[in-house]
Amino acid sequence: MAKADAENIAYYRTLARVYDTIVPRDIKGICDSLEEIVGKNNKVKKPHILDLGCGTGRFTIEMAKRGYAMTGLDITREMLDIAKMKARQMGLKVKFLKADIKNFTLSEKAEVAWARGSVGDIIDLADVGKALFNIRNNLRRNGFFVFDVRDFHYHYIKYKTNPGPETRIIKGIDRTTNFTFDYRLDKDSRIGDIEEETTVRDPRGTKTYRTRHQLRHYTKREIARLVRDAGFKSIKILPGYKCEKYNKPRIVVIAKK
Ligand SMILES: C[S@@+](CC[C@H](N)C(=O)[O-])C[C@H]1O[C@@H](n2cnc3c(N)ncnc32)[C@H](O)[C@@H]1O
């Protein structure tokens, strides 16, 4: 495994407990977009969806609640454990698999694969190609893969002057989390280096995590080329999710086998 990938996994292992707090998302809005995409591209009304890099299961669980048969796959045990616990607490039947996107094999091929926020965790471009090729191989004949990656132009404009660390304070019922991150994006490699400090204060005490991870950014043309090289037949690129009205930070890709 590449060094950057191993560092990213160590990052998720450390932050699994606080991940849902520090990375807020419009889960319902994004799932509305996913449902719309699936509805337009698939004959079966509620197909089985494979959630690649499902993390703490935020999207896996929301889609399961909406009646989709879901399988969540992730490489980080600690993230999966949280996803499993949430599904169990909600009485939802969801399959979970601990595996690497680059080399998993499903016993039954998927109709739809979905990846939110996980393709950008793969730093080495040869590995990204490997992952896309493997995902394609695990899809049925007319299956498709929907995923997002960070838009290079959006993030470059935002961070090129290096505005310095940003802090978010997230107050819960009995927990306050201070999340500070410093985002540096290299124009040539398209790799973002993010240093974070997360302090959690709750009845158990105060704990600080200092972490660092990398994320790969893409232009529309770059990601389209990689998807095509992996053998996908048709590609549609959307400038983001519908729920994000302005300033869409992610490129959404629909790749058909
Ligand atoms: C940014 S998180 C996104 C989690 C989830 N999709 C969400 O949006 O809440 C990325 C997830 O991808 C997983 N991941 C990264 N590289 C992976 C790989 N090569 N194979 C499987 N999972 C991977 C990480 O463990 C992490 O849980």
Side-chain angles (χ1 to χ4, degrees):
M1 183 187 294
K3 188 166 163 270
D5 288 7
E7 276 176 3
N8 280 348
I9 293 163
Y11 167 77
Y12 290 112
R13 292 187 68 173
T14 309
L15 288 184
R17 184 169 90 87
V18 290
Y19 183 78
D20 288 1
T21 309
I22 61 173
V23 192
R25 289 273 167 254
D26 180 359
I27 297 170
K28 288 196 163 64
I30 293 177
C31 285
D32 290 346
S33 288
L34 177 60
E35 277 204 279
E36 196 182 315
I37 293 169
V38 169
K40 273 188 192 152
N41 290 279
N42 203 68
K43 287 190 195 98
V44 181
K45 216 161 182 232
K46 298 253 170 171
H48 174 234
I49 301 179
L50 173 66
D51 184 358
L52 294 166
C54 67
T56 56
R58 301 183 303 170
F59 296 90
T60 336
I61 287 169
E62 177 62 24
M63 292 301 281
K65 279 195 207 157
R66 295 180 185 205
Y68 291 83
M70 297 297 296
T71 299
L73 178 151
D74 204 285
I75 200 166
T76 312
R77 164 75 57 211
E78 288 74 2
M79 297 289 269
L80 272 179
D81 283 348
I82 291 175
K84 282 182 196 168
M85 184 188 72
K86 291 199 292 197
R88 206 173 36 239
Q89 282 172 350
M90 288 179 205
L92 292 167
K93 234 175 114 191
V94 179
K95 267 196 217 156
F96 289 104
L97 274 179
K98 182 180 177 301
D100 189 330
I101 296 175
K102 300 191 283 296
N103 55 29
F104 68 96
T105 308
L106 296 179
S107 50
E108 209 179 303
K109 294 195 179 201
E111 290 162 302
V112 180
W114 147 252
R116 207 229 57 95
S118 49
V119 172
D121 274 349
I122 306 172
I123 302 304
D124 184 80
L125 278 178
D127 281 346
V128 180
K130 222 189 264 177
L132 291 169
F133 188 75
N134 191 44
I135 293 164
R136 184 188 168 278
N137 277 348
N138 277 281
L139 285 174
R140 287 194 189 162
R141 204 157 62 90
N142 292 313
F144 59 96
F145 177 36
V146 186
F147 67 102
D148 64 39
V149 286
R150 288 182 180 233
D151 185 324
F152 169 73
H153 293 297
Y154 172 92
H155 288 88
Y156 189 64
I157 289 165
K158 189 163 174 192
Y159 294 107
K160 75 176 169 192
T161 52
N162 188 22
E166 271 177 58
T167 297
R168 288 186 200 143
I169 299 171
I170 307 124
K171 287 191 195 293
I173 297 167
D174 58 0
R175 184 194 269 188
T176 302
T177 308
N178 280 45
F179 175 56
T180 299
F181 62 99
D182 193 5
Y183 202 116
R184 284 159 206 272
L185 174 54
D186 181 67
K187 177 162 107 5
D188 301 316
S189 67
R190 313 284 205 232
I191 294 172
D193 230 307
I194 301 125
E195 275 185 45
E196 299 175 356
E197 188 177 289
T198 310
T199 299
V200 183
R201 284 186 197 85
D202 63 17
R204 285 194 278 177
T206 301
K207 192 161 173 141
T208 297
Y209 307 87
R210 285 189 187 85
T211 46
R212 175 176 171 254
H213 69 126
Q214 293 193 320
L215 291 168
R216 181 167 274 288
H217 299 64
Y218 294 89
T219 64
K220 295 187 179 75
R221 190 183 295 183
E222 284 160 359
I223 192 64
R225 182 180 315 142
L226 283 173
V227 170
R228 208 166 288 123
D229 287 352
F232 283 93
K233 201 169 60 188
S234 84
I235 301 152
K236 190 165 180 201
I237 306 265
L238 308 176
Y241 294 106
K242 236 186 185 174
C243 56
E244 300 157 337
K245 294 272 179 282
Y246 317 99
N247 289 336
K248 297 177 187 271
R250 285 162 192 273
I251 299 167
V252 178
V253 183
I254 307 165
K256 285 200 184 170
K257 182 160 175 174

